[in-house]
Amino acid sequence: MIKRLKPLLTYYFSISCTALLFTGCGKSINANKDQLVFRYNEYANINTLDPAFSRTLQDNSVCNQLFNSLVQFDDNLNILPSIAKDWTISEDGLTYQFSLRNDVYFHKHELFGMDSTRTVVADDFTYSFNRLRDEKLAPPGSWVLNKVDDFKAINDTLFEIKLTQPFPAFIGLLTMKYCSVVPKEIVEHYGTEFRSHPIGTGPFKFKRWEENIKLVFRRNENYFERDSLGNQLPYLEAVSLTFLPDKQSEFLQFAQGNIDFLRSLDASYKDELLTADGQLRDKYAKTINMIRGPYLNTEYLGFYLDSETPEIQSVLLRKAINYGFDRKKMMVYLRNGIGNPANGGFIPIGLPGYNQSIGFTYQPKKAKQLVKQFIKETGIQNPEITLVTTSNYLSFCEFIQRELEKTGLKINVDVMPEATLRSARSNGKVDMFRSSWVADYLDAENYLSIFYSKNFAPGGSNYFHFNDQLFDSLYNTAFSVTDIEKRKLLYTQMDSLAMENAIMVPLFYDEVVRFTQKDVKGLGINPIDLLDLRYVKKKKKLEN
């Protein structure tokens, strides 16, 4: 009991402190100011406020409030200008030139001198990109520059990047928080402590961070972006985060109206909040908004094709598993209808190349026939496979286990910690494993790269050790195709090859689900679940 009370007391204390940033005391004043503060909880915590090290969804969402890159994407994943007002790409696809705005300022800091700020120039991107390549610093985002040959500032407002080979998806890579611009004088002053003393150009500026307790941002009064009516963004005055680690406590705070936003659906409260078909229950429909949309995340079961186990080597059994369970039923019972059954390929809904006709549907009779054919051809009377998963997905694997027993195939389910399974998967120590693939950047090549033979794990992400000459040829060809429609056809063809070989079992394409209080307006949704608070408003609450 004491352990539970402490974070809750900390929560209320942090909300009170946030309110005091704007007001002295007085009930009516606090009521009027409440609409200026956006409050939410991040149960998974955050690791850093340095964009070069921002590798998790949680880190990206907070860094997105503090930093900008050359380009950005909208809720439909269209690439839009940000600090770069426009750009050109050479005919050979190797040279990118970005024209920068001249009205973008870093957040105020005493190290900038008399004016306490300065304009962003092209040399700032040169510094920021060199920092990504710094081997001593070893930031996890260095890989985004793998295909970059050189970059330089032509002048204060013109930045040039040259690639080693054409890569149509490159412009999408530049939307990642790794590619944010940072000021040299501030980074070098703080060194590794820049992680907790961030200075960027974003819509909000850093105010206070007590790790594991609270994080506060204030509005950036010099922010360069405006809405369609010419009003300066953002609308909010502040953002306040708490870090309650228990999802049930987080839900309780949301249900009581103490936080404005809940970013996901957890098994601990999904039946309390939603009906079996994914609708808000009546008791919450009047006080809560729910928005949902495609999430660029494919949940799947994978096979290690270099396994010496006959059952894993058999395409018959791999196809039997794909045919042998009802994905739609699984989503209704285990996810309250949140998510889309993966009856297409590996590329998820929302990316060019997705095709719902290339995957497997539920055909139990066909699954039984394939298992019988395997027994007849190999003489193995009781085929069985061990499936390794984490505790979070045990219910899914047990559902599949029960369904496949009806086909004559025995599935043993083992549970490992996430880190242990990740290592075993990379080193070929598990024959069949549950995993997921969330988009790193906005192109289907990101998904297909894990089937490319030169990306064999542990050096790459081809955990399956799939090796197919036709696939590799199509994959390499796609780099030189700039026409998105032609590239889309190549992507679908590659995805079809992977499905024909049944090297994995797509389970479902995830969905982004967000819940807000009714007074929150303007919080959109996007397929990578990145939090964007620029356009958020809160209605005034009536005084008591």
Side-chain angles (χ1 to χ4, degrees):
M1 180 64 71
I2 294 175
K3 290 183 178 179
R4 181 176 295 274
L5 283 173
K6 185 175 181 180
L8 288 175
L9 288 172
T10 300
Y11 171 85
Y12 289 116
F13 175 75
S14 71
I15 292 297
S16 299
C17 287
T18 302
L20 289 172
L21 289 173
F22 318 110
T23 67
C25 55
K27 186 175 180 181
S28 62
I29 296 177
N30 283 339
N32 288 334
K33 292 292 184 179
D34 181 70
Q35 82 277 4
L36 298 176
V37 186
F38 185 82
R39 302 159 299 171
Y40 75 100
N41 185 70
E42 192 57 83
Y43 74 90
N45 219 322
I46 61 172
N47 306 296
T48 184
L49 298 176
D50 184 341
F53 291 85
S54 180
R55 62 188 305 172
T56 68
L57 176 62
Q58 296 77 26
D59 294 345
N60 282 332
S61 286
V62 293
C63 283
N64 194 47
Q65 316 314 319
L66 300 172
F67 298 94
N68 296 97
S69 307
L70 289 165
V71 292
Q72 60 187 327
F73 60 86
D74 64 13
D75 286 349
N76 296 315
L77 302 186
N78 298 306
I79 307 297
L80 302 177
S82 183
I83 295 178
K85 59 184 178 181
D86 56 54
W87 60 91
T88 60
I89 305 173
S90 62
E91 289 187 8
D92 61 8
L94 294 176
T95 303
Y96 292 66
Q97 286 195 339
F98 298 87
S99 296
L100 309 188
R101 301 175 62 124
N102 60 7
D103 60 348
V104 181
Y105 298 90
F106 286 113
H107 300 154
K108 290 184 177 181
H109 194 283
E110 59 186 13
L111 286 175
F112 287 128
M114 184 179 299
D115 295 330
S116 298
T117 186
R118 69 167 176 82
T119 308
V120 174
V121 294
D123 270 332
D124 290 312
F125 280 100
T126 303
Y127 173 76
S128 300
F129 282 26
N130 275 325
R131 188 167 178 258
L132 276 183
R133 281 186 163 176
D134 187 339
E135 294 182 358
K136 292 182 180 179
L137 191 65
S142 60
W143 64 269
V144 303
L145 301 180
N146 282 350
K147 291 183 172 62
V148 173
D149 179 39
D150 189 28
F151 47 82
K152 61 182 178 181
I154 305 298
N155 54 47
D156 281 354
T157 59
L158 188 62
F159 184 65
E160 181 179 88
I161 302 175
K162 291 189 175 182
L163 305 185
T164 57
Q165 67 178 87
F167 185 38
F170 178 69
I171 195 72
L173 279 180
L174 295 178
T175 66
M176 299 184 72
K177 300 322 296 179
Y178 292 138
C179 298
S180 301
V181 68
V182 295
K184 178 179 179 179
E185 54 267 67
I186 306 297
V187 175
E188 294 191 349
H189 172 75
Y190 286 112
T192 57
E193 292 305 307
F194 184 70
R195 66 177 290 278
S196 57
H197 296 80
I199 294 294
T201 59
F204 296 91
K205 57 187 180 182
F206 173 73
K207 178 66 177 180
R208 185 177 185 183
W209 184 21
E210 293 182 32
E211 295 194 43
N212 305 313
I213 299 176
K214 63 183 173 184
L215 175 64
V216 178
F217 298 152
R218 291 292 305 272
R219 182 177 186 269
N220 175 14
E221 65 276 9
N222 290 326
Y223 192 59
F224 61 95
E225 288 192 293
R226 297 179 177 272
D227 65 17
S228 60
L229 299 177
N231 299 309
Q232 188 182 33
L233 300 173
Y235 304 128
L236 294 167
E237 183 62 32
V239 180
S240 176
L241 281 77
T242 51
F243 300 98
L244 288 173
D246 179 37
K247 288 189 176 183
Q248 287 182 310
S249 297
E250 179 185 63
F251 174 69
L252 178 62
Q253 293 303 309
F254 178 71
Q256 293 176 347
N258 295 322
I259 57 178
D260 299 306
F261 164 65
L262 197 64
R263 89 176 307 154
S264 61
L265 183 69
D266 188 68
S268 64
Y269 56 77
K270 67 180 179 66
D271 294 325
E272 163 72 14
L273 192 56
L274 300 181
T275 61
D277 61 351
Q279 302 299 312
L280 276 173
R281 293 195 179 277
D282 291 341
K283 63 185 291 188
Y284 293 109
K286 293 182 179 180
T287 58
I288 291 174
N289 288 323
M290 179 177 73
I291 50 177
R292 55 192 282 195
Y295 183 23
L296 298 186
N297 173 32
T298 300
E299 298 286 341
Y300 70 95
L301 308 179
F303 300 103
Y304 178 60
L305 302 182
D306 280 344
S307 168
E308 296 180 359
T309 305
E311 287 90 337
I312 297 296
Q313 293 176 352
S314 172
V315 69
L316 296 174
L317 286 192
R318 300 200 302 267
K319 287 185 175 180
I321 294 172
N322 270 288
Y323 284 123
F325 66 99
D326 189 337
R327 292 166 174 82
K328 183 176 180 180
K329 180 180 177 182
M330 180 180 72
M331 298 308 293
V332 170
Y333 286 128
L334 300 179
R335 294 268 297 188
N336 291 67
I338 301 299
N340 295 283
N343 292 320
F346 191 65
I347 300 172
I349 297 171
L351 277 183
Y354 165 76
N355 190 313
Q356 64 178 357
S357 68
I358 64 175
F360 294 86
T361 55
Y362 178 47
Q363 299 186 47
K365 290 183 179 179
K366 191 165 187 176
K368 287 182 181 179
Q369 291 172 355
L370 290 169
V371 173
K372 288 180 179 179
Q373 186 178 346
F374 170 80
I375 293 172
K376 181 179 180 180
E377 291 182 2
T378 64
I380 299 174
Q381 295 302 309
N382 299 298
E384 62 179 281
I385 296 174
T386 297
L387 168 59
V388 183
T389 184
T390 58
S391 57
N392 289 343
Y393 287 84
L394 179 59
S395 59
F396 289 89
C397 294
E398 288 179 337
F399 173 85
I400 294 168
Q401 177 189 46
R402 291 191 296 270
E403 293 295 296
L404 291 176
E405 282 180 356
K406 302 171 187 177
T407 71
L409 176 61
K410 182 179 179 181
I411 300 291
N412 303 306
V413 178
D414 283 352
V415 177
M416 285 185 181
E418 178 68 35
T420 305
L421 176 54
R422 192 184 305 119
S423 175
R425 180 190 64 195
S426 295
N427 291 287
K429 302 297 184 183
V430 288
D431 288 342
M432 185 180 179
F433 52 88
R434 190 225 63 87
S435 191
S436 60
W437 190 263
V438 181
D440 287 319
Y441 48 92
L442 313 179
D443 194 278
E445 183 273 338
N446 186 206
Y447 284 81
L448 299 171
S449 65
I450 74 171
F451 306 135
Y452 185 49
S453 66
K454 292 186 179 180
N455 288 338
F456 270 21
S461 53
N462 187 342
Y463 310 118
F464 322 95
H465 280 205
F466 178 58
N467 190 346
D468 185 277
Q469 289 185 352
L470 177 56
F471 182 96
D472 287 356
S473 176
L474 294 170
Y475 182 80
N476 288 321
T477 299
F479 283 113
S480 61
V481 177
T482 56
D483 186 306
I484 184 60
E485 290 302 318
K486 292 180 180 178
R487 203 160 76 249
K488 176 180 175 181
L489 293 175
L490 287 172
Y491 287 164
T492 301
Q493 190 176 350
M494 283 185 271
D495 206 4
S496 297
L497 279 172
M499 297 309 297
E500 286 172 14
N501 286 275
I503 63 177
M504 40 73 199
V505 183
L507 301 178
F508 62 93
Y509 311 118
D510 210 350
E511 282 189 294
V512 176
V513 183
R514 293 179 172 180
F515 303 94
T516 67
Q517 305 294 343
K518 284 289 187 181
D519 62 338
V520 174
K521 305 296 179 183
L523 181 66
I525 196 168
N526 56 76
I528 64 171
D529 200 16
L530 187 68
L531 194 61
D532 182 356
L533 300 179
R534 290 174 298 172
Y535 294 90
V536 171
K537 291 181 178 179
K538 291 175 64 179
K539 289 183 179 179
K540 284 187 178 181
K541 292 182 179 179
L542 297 177
E543 298 179 25
N544 293 327

